[in-house]
Amino acid sequence: MKMIKKINSYEILFVIPALGYMLIFVGYPIIYNIVLSFQDTTLMNIGSASKEFVGLENYKNIFSSPLIFITLKNTLFYTVMCLIIQFSLGFLMALFFNLKFRISGFLRGIIIISWMMPTIATALVFKFMLSETGIVNNYLMILGLIKEPILWISNQDTAMWGLIIANSWVGIPFNMLLLSTGLSNVPDSIIESAKIDGAVAWQRLIFIVVPMIKPAILSVLVLGFVYTFKVFDLVFTMTAGGPVNSTEVLSTYSYLLSFKYYYFSQGASVANILAIFLIIVSFIYVRLTSKEEVGE
């Protein structure tokens, strides 16, 4: 029979601060945002005590605009491409630094600096580097790869790629760090046994290493999706959703509706749509990790 531990009163005291913090700073904003999305709150009536409830009207208005589908497409494209680039390069770098040569720790520490930089600082640096007179265009012209500067973040065909490059520069070290931790837990004895059995490098990687670091890979992909899908500061600083909505994502669209057009309820509705995507991904992650633990 399962034993239920008796909780002492002093143990409850330790829980109260965390519970209070969650209710005030997490629970209340979420509930307020949900309620706001069902109201008709604009700049004209935001100070009013009673606001009209309009049901799903805000969501209907949002999905009747083609801009929501553009922002959804942009958000998914940005997220998927960042995940592919960050994971691929992060995994290759993790494998490289797992070789444990003399200065591997020093080089890994240097690379991690990019991840530790504030996102705003990264966005400003890349905004300057990718400008018409920036260092990227200068070097490409010196090398003879282009004849005239590329308008990386002011052209609607290339602006999204400028954001993907900037975000990947931040995300690759994070992926490398987590995957390196997973690789360090693979016992050398198993690898040596596989070598003795005749398994070549790619077979050891696919059939031994990858399955053994599956929890780390899963964590990297889910955390990467969450951090990338809700991006705001990087996009807002570099392009502010432009040009011509080519880099408009859900978070900047919510900001645009709330604080430029003052349609607070519609902005809250877009934020809720973004949250629903993240909740679904988090639920899938919990389900997958639960199966992994049961399998163990």
Side-chain angles (χ1 to χ4, degrees):
M1 183 177 177
K2 189 175 180 180
M3 299 295 292
I4 300 175
K5 183 185 175 183
K6 185 178 180 181
I7 300 175
N8 296 319
S9 57
Y10 71 88
E11 290 178 330
I12 297 176
L13 291 176
F14 287 103
V15 177
I16 289 175
L19 187 62
Y21 174 85
M22 291 294 291
L23 287 174
I24 295 171
F25 295 105
V26 179
Y28 175 74
I30 291 174
I31 293 171
Y32 179 77
N33 200 65
I34 293 172
V35 173
L36 188 63
S37 69
F38 293 108
Q39 294 178 330
D40 180 23
T41 304
T42 63
L43 185 65
M44 303 302 294
N45 65 355
I46 191 170
S48 172
S50 59
K51 302 179 184 65
E52 181 186 1
F53 275 86
V54 293
L56 296 173
E57 195 63 31
N58 291 312
Y59 292 94
K60 289 179 182 176
N61 291 333
I62 287 170
F63 281 104
S64 65
S65 167
L67 192 52
I68 185 64
F69 298 104
I70 294 173
T71 57
L72 269 172
K73 186 193 73 172
N74 289 341
T75 308
L76 289 171
F77 179 77
Y78 171 81
T79 304
V80 171
M81 292 311 301
C82 285
L83 280 181
I84 292 173
I85 295 171
Q86 292 172 6
F87 180 79
S88 303
L89 296 180
F91 191 43
L92 289 175
M93 292 175 71
L95 289 173
F96 176 71
F97 286 113
N98 196 48
L99 297 176
K100 298 173 183 174
F101 51 93
R102 179 173 293 182
I103 58 171
S104 63
F106 172 75
L107 291 177
R108 190 159 48 186
I110 295 293
I111 292 171
I112 290 174
I113 290 176
S114 61
W115 173 61
M116 298 170 66
M117 284 181 64
T119 309
I120 294 293
T122 301
L124 290 173
V125 168
F126 270 88
K127 188 175 182 179
F128 172 73
M129 289 173 58
L130 296 174
S131 66
E132 186 176 358
T133 57
I135 190 171
V136 173
N137 278 325
N138 282 339
Y139 275 108
L140 290 177
M141 292 180 73
I142 290 171
L143 293 172
L145 297 175
I146 58 174
K147 293 182 179 178
E148 56 184 22
I150 298 174
L151 304 177
W152 290 99
I153 56 175
S154 53
N155 184 313
Q156 57 181 330
D157 295 326
T158 57
M160 181 58 80
W161 286 105
L163 296 177
I164 292 170
I165 291 170
N167 188 66
S168 297
W169 187 76
V170 179
I172 288 171
F174 177 70
N175 282 243
M176 181 198 71
L177 197 63
L178 291 184
L179 292 171
S180 293
T181 305
L183 289 173
S184 64
N185 292 326
V186 178
D188 293 335
S189 58
I190 296 178
I191 303 298
E192 292 301 323
S193 299
K195 286 181 181 177
I196 294 170
D197 290 339
V200 295
W202 71 267
Q203 289 174 324
R204 296 196 298 271
L205 177 65
I206 300 297
F207 298 113
I208 297 176
V209 174
V210 170
M212 293 192 72
I213 64 168
K214 189 177 174 182
I217 293 175
L218 197 58
S219 299
V220 164
L221 292 177
V222 173
L223 290 174
F225 184 92
V226 171
Y227 285 128
T228 311
F229 196 82
K230 66 180 181 63
V231 63
F232 174 77
D233 40 9
L234 186 81
V235 176
F236 190 76
T237 305
M238 289 185 68
T239 63
V244 199
N245 301 319
S246 60
T247 60
E248 199 78 76
V249 292
L250 285 172
S251 58
T252 56
Y253 185 41
S254 174
Y255 177 89
L256 185 75
L257 288 170
S258 297
F259 301 109
K260 185 172 182 179
Y261 300 128
Y262 303 114
Y263 297 143
F264 298 111
S265 293
Q266 292 190 21
S269 303
V270 174
N272 287 335
I273 294 168
L274 191 154
I276 289 171
F277 274 93
L278 298 180
I279 290 170
I280 292 171
V281 172
S282 301
F283 178 75
I284 294 172
Y285 173 71
V286 171
R287 292 279 296 174
L288 290 175
T289 51
S290 299
K291 287 182 180 178
E292 287 288 327
E293 291 174 0
V294 171
E296 291 176 358

